Amino acid sequence: MSKFSSQDLIYMQQAIQLAQQGVYSTKPNPNVGCILVRDGQVVGQGFHPCAGQPHAEVFALRQAAEQADGATAYVTLEPCAHYGRTPPCAEALVKAQVKKVIIACLDPNPLVAGKGVEILKVAGIEVESGLCEEEAAALNRGFLKAMATQMPYVRLKVAASLDGRTAMASGESKWITGSAARQDVQHWRAISGAVITGIQTVLADDCQLNVRELAGVDLTTVVQPKRIVLDRQGRLPLTAKILQQPASLMVMGPFRQDLADLGVVQLEVQPLDDLLKLLVRDYQIYDVLVEAGATLASAFICQDLVDEYIHYLAPTLLGTSACPMFQADLQSLHQQYRFHIQEMTQVGGDIRLNLIPVQE
């Protein structure tokens, strides 16, 4: 028998919906929502809008005012227990004298990691956790993974034909998928702290890899991702469109004074896993989207660095001379890379597959 009631479920789902309002704006902070309920009525609600602003619990407590006394708080992530830009939310809940706190997902951040729950329990507040845990965790895959492992959550995006081709032999690739699929990609960029690509993609497509359009969303509220170009031979031309916003550009390659003069962050050449660790440690980048050609995309897959594979499948055939989407010399079936289908969605005239690697 569940320890949670049907009403508990409804309130936590409302808190998750609130948290979703910050999905494009909170980076590097997690998405969090909070509902305060007293005597069967919602008396306060809030979500965390962006880094530096109060957390969800604070907004909910402000709205509830004295009605928070004796209320039940529904929070999508364990209340913080440390002083950062804002005071600890666990202490704010104690001060407001809430009666009970129901938490969807515990926080593996070493600064929290059970300390928020402990503060509440020591104060005599009843605490339960695990309600809608999977849905709440899905809001913060990158944050949760980075806090637990010091590695970001890596999504690899590929657009390919039915015969697994991503471009013609000449390099021509605009466009394999339709406009709806290309618009859909904007969402994955917008939830990412960084978009990684290779120099060959920049040279072939003169891409920008920023967020340029989100239906119904004010782009001024979106935290734009860093764009990271892997350029081991220093071939990035100063005329590239990606250099039009140099402050959000990072280049991994040999040091170049001309890029330094533009304010581009330059990274030493290093293995992919070390680069990912660096992004978490030094830049608080917890979600990474890889948009690259077959060589770099295949390197991420073969090194087991991909957490989620986003495959846009276009109903077209490009032929045997076109560029394959995956480059690896596999000799037998037991070497194959298999995936679970997490989601399958029609996007315009194309299909988007969200795939999770099968762990052997």
Side-chain angles (χ1 to χ4, degrees), residues 245-326:
Q245 296 89 31
S248 61
L249 182 63
M250 307 169 82
V251 176
M252 188 181 85
F255 178 80
R256 289 173 52 180
Q257 187 59 50
D258 51 1
L259 296 182
D261 292 341
L262 291 172
V264 174
V265 173
Q266 298 185 71
L267 306 172
E268 292 183 1
V269 175
Q270 56 196 301
L272 292 178
D273 58 341
D274 288 344
L275 171 64
L276 295 175
K277 292 173 186 175
L278 173 75
L279 296 180
V280 169
R281 183 182 69 244
D282 292 356
Y283 297 98
Q284 292 75 55
I285 292 172
Y286 305 140
D287 289 88
V288 168
L289 178 65
V290 179
E291 290 192 58
T295 301
L296 183 56
S298 299
F300 271 91
I301 291 176
C302 293
Q303 294 177 41
D304 295 325
L305 297 175
V306 176
D307 296 291
E308 183 176 353
Y309 181 46
I310 303 170
H311 184 121
Y312 291 91
L313 183 63
T316 186
L317 298 169
L318 298 184
T320 56
S321 64
C323 302
M325 56 182 279
F326 181 58

Side-chain angles (χ1 to χ4, degrees), residues 20-331:
Q20 289 171 338
Q21 294 184 45
V23 69
Y24 299 133
S25 60
T26 63
K27 295 186 293 288
N29 288 1
N31 301 295
V32 184
C34 178
I35 295 278
L36 288 170
V37 179
R38 177 174 167 177
D39 299 328
Q41 298 293 321
V42 174
V43 295
Q45 57 184 2
F47 71 97
H48 181 48
C50 62
Q53 289 290 312
H55 292 180
E57 298 93 326
V58 173
F59 281 113
L61 289 169
R62 286 178 180 175
Q63 190 178 98
E66 69 277 359
Q67 293 184 85
D69 189 343
T72 296
Y74 296 83
V75 190
T76 59
L77 185 68
E78 180 180 357
C80 62
H82 62 286
Y83 283 87
R85 296 186 189 182
T86 58
C89 290
E91 292 185 4
L93 290 167
V94 170
K95 186 176 180 180
Q97 297 183 310
V98 301
K99 181 181 180 181
K100 183 176 182 178
V101 177
I102 298 179
I103 301 165
C105 188
L106 297 178
D107 189 346
N109 183 346
L111 295 172
V112 184
K115 299 184 181 71
V117 169
E118 183 180 1
I119 289 172
L120 297 170
K121 287 185 173 180
V122 167
I125 296 172
E126 184 181 354
V127 180
E128 299 285 358
S129 64
L131 178 61
C132 300
E133 181 176 12
E134 186 173 334
E135 299 95 314
L139 288 170
N140 297 301
R141 294 192 193 281
F143 176 83
L144 294 173
K145 183 186 177 188
M147 292 301 107
T149 70
Q150 290 72 59
M151 288 285 281
Y153 188 87
V154 177
R155 297 176 176 90
L156 170 63
K157 169 256 170 183
V158 171
S161 62
L162 290 173
D163 51 349
R165 307 289 167 162
T166 59
M168 303 309 293
S170 64
E172 180 187 2
S173 62
K174 294 182 177 179
W175 298 103
I176 296 173
T177 54
S179 59
R182 298 195 297 274
Q183 172 65 32
D184 193 62
V185 173
Q186 299 284 305
H187 162 76
W188 303 107
R189 289 181 186 171
I191 66 172
S192 301
V195 179
I196 294 179
T197 194
I199 184 60
Q200 201 58 47
T201 298
V202 176
L203 294 175
D205 298 339
D206 201 14
C207 50
Q208 298 182 69
L209 301 179
N210 56 356
V211 181
R212 295 186 294 278
E213 183 182 358
L214 286 167
V217 177
D218 179 0
L219 287 186
T220 63
T221 67
V222 176
V223 179
Q224 287 281 348
K226 300 290 187 184
R227 286 84 44 74
I228 303 174
V229 179
L230 307 192
D231 184 20
R232 296 173 184 271
Q233 297 176 345
R235 294 188 290 157
L236 179 65
L238 294 181
T239 55
K241 288 181 181 177
I242 204 165
L243 278 165
Q244 291 176 0
Q245 296 89 31
S248 61
L249 182 63
M250 307 169 82
V251 176
M252 188 181 85
F255 178 80
R256 289 173 52 180
Q257 187 59 50
D258 51 1
L259 296 182
D261 292 341
L262 291 172
V264 174
V265 173
Q266 298 185 71
L267 306 172
E268 292 183 1
V269 175
Q270 56 196 301
L272 292 178
D273 58 341
D274 288 344
L275 171 64
L276 295 175
K277 292 173 186 175
L278 173 75
L279 296 180
V280 169
R281 183 182 69 244
D282 292 356
Y283 297 98
Q284 292 75 55
I285 292 172
Y286 305 140
D287 289 88
V288 168
L289 178 65
V290 179
E291 290 192 58
T295 301
L296 183 56
S298 299
F300 271 91
I301 291 176
C302 293
Q303 294 177 41
D304 295 325
L305 297 175
V306 176
D307 296 291
E308 183 176 353
Y309 181 46
I310 303 170
H311 184 121
Y312 291 91
L313 183 63
T316 186
L317 298 169
L318 298 184
T320 56
S321 64
C323 302
M325 56 182 279
F326 181 58
Q327 294 178 346
D329 186 16
L330 307 183
Q331 301 297 320

